[in-house]
Coordinates of all heavy atoms in Angstrom, one line a residue:
N961 N 97.8 131.0 120.7 CA 98.0 131.4 119.3 C 96.9 130.8 118.4 O 96.6 131.3 117.3 CB 99.4 131.0 118.8 CG 99.7 129.5 118.9 OD1 99.4 128.9 119.9 ND2 100.2 128.9 117.8
E962 N 96.4 129.6 118.8 CA 95.4 128.9 117.9 C 94.0 129.6 118.0 O 93.2 129.4 117.1 CB 95.3 127.5 118.2 CG 96.5 126.7 117.8 CD 96.4 125.3 118.2 OE1 95.3 124.7 118.5 OE2 97.5 124.6 118.3
H963 N 93.7 130.1 119.2 CA 92.4 130.6 119.4 C 92.4 132.1 119.0 O 92.6 132.9 119.9 CB 91.9 130.4 120.8 CG 91.7 129.0 121.2 ND1 91.3 128.6 122.4 CD2 91.7 127.9 120.4 CE1 91.1 127.3 122.4 NE2 91.3 126.8 121.2
F964 N 92.1 132.4 117.8 CA 92.0 133.8 117.4 C 90.9 134.5 118.1 O 90.9 135.7 118.4 CB 91.8 133.9 115.9 CG 93.0 133.6 115.1 CD1 93.0 132.4 114.4 CD2 94.1 134.4 115.1 CE1 94.2 132.0 113.7 CE2 95.3 134.0 114.4 CZ 95.3 132.8 113.7
Y965 N 89.8 133.8 118.4 CA 88.6 134.4 119.0 C 88.2 133.5 120.2 O 88.4 132.3 120.2 CB 87.4 134.4 118.0 CG 87.7 135.2 116.8 CD1 88.0 134.5 115.6 CD2 87.6 136.6 116.7 CE1 88.3 135.2 114.4 CE2 87.9 137.2 115.6 CZ 88.2 136.6 114.4 OH 88.5 137.2 113.3
V966 N 87.6 134.2 121.2 CA 86.7 133.4 122.1 C 85.3 134.1 121.9 O 85.2 135.3 122.2 CB 87.2 133.5 123.6 CG1 86.2 132.8 124.5 CG2 88.6 132.8 123.7
F967 N 84.4 133.4 121.5 CA 83.1 134.0 121.1 C 82.1 134.2 122.2 O 82.0 133.4 123.1 CB 82.3 133.1 120.1 CG 82.9 133.0 118.7 CD1 82.8 131.8 118.0 CD2 83.4 134.1 118.1 CE1 83.4 131.7 116.7 CE2 84.0 134.0 116.8 CZ 83.9 132.8 116.1
S968 N 81.4 135.4 122.2 CA 80.2 135.5 123.0 C 79.1 135.4 122.0 O 79.3 135.5 120.8 CB 80.2 136.9 123.6 OG 80.2 137.9 122.6
Y969 N 77.9 135.2 122.5 CA 76.7 135.2 121.6 C 76.7 136.6 120.9 O 76.4 136.6 119.7 CB 75.4 135.0 122.4 CG 74.2 135.4 121.6 CD1 73.6 134.6 120.7 CD2 73.7 136.7 121.7 CE1 72.6 135.0 119.9 CE2 72.6 137.1 120.9 CZ 72.1 136.3 120.0 OH 71.0 136.7 119.2
L970 N 76.9 137.7 121.6 CA 76.8 139.0 121.1 C 77.8 139.2 119.9 O 77.4 139.7 118.8 CB 77.2 140.1 122.1 CG 76.2 140.2 123.3 CD1 76.7 141.2 124.4 CD2 74.8 140.5 122.9
G971 N 79.0 138.7 120.0 CA 80.0 138.9 119.0 C 79.7 138.0 117.8 O 79.6 138.5 116.6
L972 N 79.4 136.7 118.0 CA 79.1 135.8 116.9 C 77.9 136.2 116.1 O 77.9 136.2 114.9 CB 79.0 134.4 117.5 CG 78.8 133.3 116.4 CD1 80.0 133.2 115.5 CD2 78.4 132.0 116.9
S973 N 76.8 136.6 116.9 CA 75.6 137.0 116.1 C 75.8 138.2 115.2 O 75.2 138.2 114.1 CB 74.4 137.2 117.1 OG 74.7 138.2 118.0
N974 N 76.7 139.1 115.6 CA 77.0 140.2 114.7 C 77.7 139.7 113.4 O 77.3 140.2 112.3 CB 78.0 141.2 115.4 CG 77.2 142.1 116.3 OD1 76.1 142.4 116.1 ND2 77.9 142.5 117.3
V975 N 78.6 138.8 113.5 CA 79.3 138.3 112.3 C 78.3 137.5 111.4 O 78.3 137.6 110.2 CB 80.5 137.4 112.7 CG1 81.2 136.9 111.5 CG2 81.4 138.1 113.6
L976 N 77.5 136.7 112.1 CA 76.5 135.9 111.3 C 75.5 136.8 110.5 O 75.2 136.5 109.4 CB 75.7 134.9 112.3 CG 76.6 133.8 112.9 CD1 75.8 133.1 113.9 CD2 77.0 132.8 111.8
K977 N 75.1 137.8 111.2 CA 74.1 138.7 110.6 C 74.7 139.3 109.3 O 74.0 139.4 108.2 CB 73.8 139.8 111.5 CG 72.5 140.6 111.2 CD 72.1 141.5 112.4 CE 71.0 142.4 111.9 NZ 70.8 143.5 112.8
K978 N 75.9 139.7 109.4 CA 76.6 140.3 108.2 C 76.7 139.3 107.1 O 76.8 139.6 105.9 CB 78.1 140.6 108.7 CG 78.6 141.8 108.1 CD 79.9 142.2 108.8 CE 80.9 142.7 107.8 NZ 82.2 142.9 108.3
N979 N 76.7 138.0 107.4 CA 76.8 136.9 106.4 C 75.5 136.2 106.2 O 75.4 135.1 105.7 CB 77.9 135.9 106.9 CG 79.2 136.5 106.7 OD1 79.8 136.6 105.6 ND2 79.8 137.0 107.8
K980 N 74.4 136.9 106.5 CA 73.0 136.5 106.2 C 72.7 135.1 106.8 O 72.1 134.2 106.1 CB 72.8 136.4 104.7 CG 72.9 137.8 104.0 CD 72.4 137.8 102.6 CE 72.4 139.1 102.0 NZ 73.5 139.4 101.1
L981 N 73.1 134.9 108.0 CA 72.8 133.7 108.8 C 72.2 134.2 110.1 O 72.5 135.3 110.6 CB 74.1 132.9 109.0 CG 74.8 132.3 107.8 CD1 76.2 131.9 108.1 CD2 74.0 131.1 107.3
K982 N 71.4 133.3 110.8 CA 70.8 133.7 112.1 C 70.8 132.5 113.0 O 70.7 131.3 112.6 CB 69.4 134.2 111.9 CG 68.4 133.3 111.3 CD 67.1 133.9 111.1 CE 66.1 132.9 110.5 NZ 64.8 133.4 110.1
I983 N 71.0 132.8 114.3 CA 70.9 131.7 115.3 C 69.5 131.5 115.8 O 68.8 132.5 116.1 CB 71.8 132.2 116.6 CG1 73.2 132.5 116.1 CG2 71.7 131.2 117.7 CD1 74.1 133.2 117.2
Y984 N 69.0 130.3 115.8 CA 67.7 130.0 116.3 C 67.6 129.3 117.6 O 66.6 129.2 118.3 CB 66.8 129.3 115.2 CG 67.1 127.9 115.0 CD1 66.4 126.9 115.7 CD2 68.0 127.5 114.1 CE1 66.7 125.5 115.5 CE2 68.3 126.2 113.8 CZ 67.7 125.2 114.5 OH 68.0 123.9 114.3
K985 N 68.7 128.8 118.1 CA 68.8 128.1 119.4 C 70.2 128.1 119.9 O 71.2 128.0 119.2 CB 68.3 126.7 119.1 CG 68.3 125.8 120.3 CD 67.6 124.5 119.9 CE 68.1 123.3 120.6 NZ 67.5 122.1 120.2
V986 N 70.3 128.3 121.3 CA 71.6 128.3 121.9 C 71.5 127.3 123.1 O 70.6 127.3 123.8 CB 72.0 129.6 122.5 CG1 73.3 129.6 123.2 CG2 71.9 130.7 121.4
E987 N 72.6 126.4 123.2 CA 72.6 125.5 124.3 C 73.9 125.8 125.1 O 75.0 126.0 124.5 CB 72.7 124.1 123.8 CG 71.4 123.5 123.4 CD 71.5 122.1 122.8 OE1 72.6 121.6 122.5 OE2 70.5 121.5 122.5
N988 N 73.8 125.8 126.4 CA 75.0 125.9 127.2 C 75.5 124.5 127.5 O 74.7 123.7 128.0 CB 74.7 126.6 128.6 CG 74.7 128.1 128.4 OD1 75.8 128.7 128.5 ND2 73.6 128.7 128.1
I989 N 76.7 124.1 127.2 CA 77.2 122.8 127.4 C 78.5 122.9 128.3 O 79.1 123.9 128.3 CB 77.4 122.0 126.1 CG1 78.3 122.8 125.2 CG2 76.1 121.7 125.4 CD1 78.8 122.0 123.9
D990 N 78.7 121.7 128.9 CA 79.8 121.7 129.9 C 81.2 121.6 129.3 O 82.2 122.0 129.9 CB 79.7 120.4 130.7 CG 78.9 120.6 132.0 OD1 78.6 121.8 132.2 OD2 78.5 119.7 132.6
V991 N 81.3 121.1 128.1 CA 82.7 120.8 127.5 C 83.6 122.0 127.4 O 83.1 123.2 127.3 CB 82.6 120.1 126.1 CG1 81.9 118.8 126.2 CG2 82.0 121.0 125.1
H992 N 84.9 121.7 127.5 CA 85.9 122.8 127.5 C 85.7 123.9 128.5 O 85.8 125.1 128.2 CB 86.1 123.3 126.1 CG 86.8 122.3 125.2 ND1 88.1 121.8 125.5 CD2 86.4 121.7 124.1 CE1 88.4 120.9 124.6 NE2 87.5 120.8 123.7
G993 N 85.2 123.5 129.7 CA 85.0 124.5 130.7 C 83.8 125.4 130.6 O 83.7 126.5 131.2
G994 N 82.9 125.0 129.7 CA 81.7 125.8 129.4 C 81.7 126.4 128.0 O 82.4 127.3 127.7
S995 N 80.9 125.7 127.2 CA 80.8 126.2 125.8 C 79.4 126.5 125.4 O 78.5 126.2 126.1 CB 81.3 125.0 124.9 OG 82.7 124.7 125.1
L996 N 79.3 127.2 124.3 CA 77.9 127.4 123.7 C 77.8 126.7 122.4 O 78.8 126.7 121.6 CB 77.7 128.9 123.4 CG 77.5 129.8 124.7 CD1 77.4 131.3 124.3 CD2 76.3 129.4 125.5
R997 N 76.7 126.0 122.3 CA 76.4 125.3 121.0 C 75.3 126.1 120.3 O 74.2 126.3 120.8 CB 75.9 123.9 121.3 CG 75.7 123.1 120.0 CD 75.3 121.7 120.4 NE 76.4 120.8 120.8 CZ 76.2 119.8 121.7 NH1 75.1 119.5 122.2 NH2 77.3 119.1 122.1
Y998 N 75.6 126.7 119.1 CA 74.7 127.5 118.4 C 74.1 126.7 117.2 O 74.8 126.1 116.5 CB 75.4 128.7 117.8 CG 76.2 129.5 118.8 CD1 77.6 129.2 119.0 CD2 75.7 130.7 119.4 CE1 78.3 130.0 119.9 CE2 76.4 131.4 120.3 CZ 77.8 131.1 120.5 OH 78.5 131.9 121.4
Y999 N 72.8 126.9 117.1 CA 72.1 126.3 115.9 C 71.7 127.4 115.0 O 71.1 128.4 115.4 CB 70.8 125.6 116.4 CG 71.1 124.3 117.3 CD1 71.5 124.5 118.6 CD2 70.9 123.1 116.7 CE1 71.8 123.3 119.3 CE2 71.2 121.9 117.5 CZ 71.6 122.1 118.8 OH 71.9 121.0 119.6
I1000 N 72.2 127.3 113.7 CA 72.1 128.4 112.8 C 71.5 128.0 111.5 O 71.7 126.9 111.0 CB 73.6 128.9 112.6 CG1 74.2 129.4 113.9 CG2 73.7 130.0 111.5 CD1 75.7 129.3 114.0
V1001 N 70.7 129.0 110.9 CA 70.2 128.7 109.6 C 70.4 129.9 108.7 O 70.8 131.0 109.2 CB 68.6 128.4 109.6 CG1 68.4 127.0 110.2 CG2 67.9 129.4 110.4
K1002 N 70.0 129.8 107.4 CA 70.1 131.0 106.5 C 69.0 132.0 106.9 O 67.9 131.6 107.4 CB 69.9 130.5 105.1 CG 71.1 129.8 104.6 CD 71.1 129.5 103.1 CE 72.4 129.0 102.7 NZ 72.5 128.5 101.3

Side-chain angles (χ1 to χ4, degrees):
N961 63 312
E962 287 177 20
H963 289 176
F964 288 108
Y965 303 98
V966 176
F967 288 144
S968 60
Y969 163 83
L970 296 176
L972 183 67
S973 57
N974 279 333
V975 183
L976 290 170
K977 198 168 170 196
K978 219 170 139 189
N979 288 282
K980 298 193 176 95
L981 294 161
K982 63 182 178 191
I983 301 171
Y984 72 92
K985 182 170 143 182
V986 181
E987 281 172 355
N988 276 276
I989 54 173
D990 270 350
V991 300
H992 288 303
S995 294
L996 288 178
R997 184 179 282 151
Y998 305 90
Y999 292 75
I1000 298 156
V1001 287
K1002 288 191 171 171

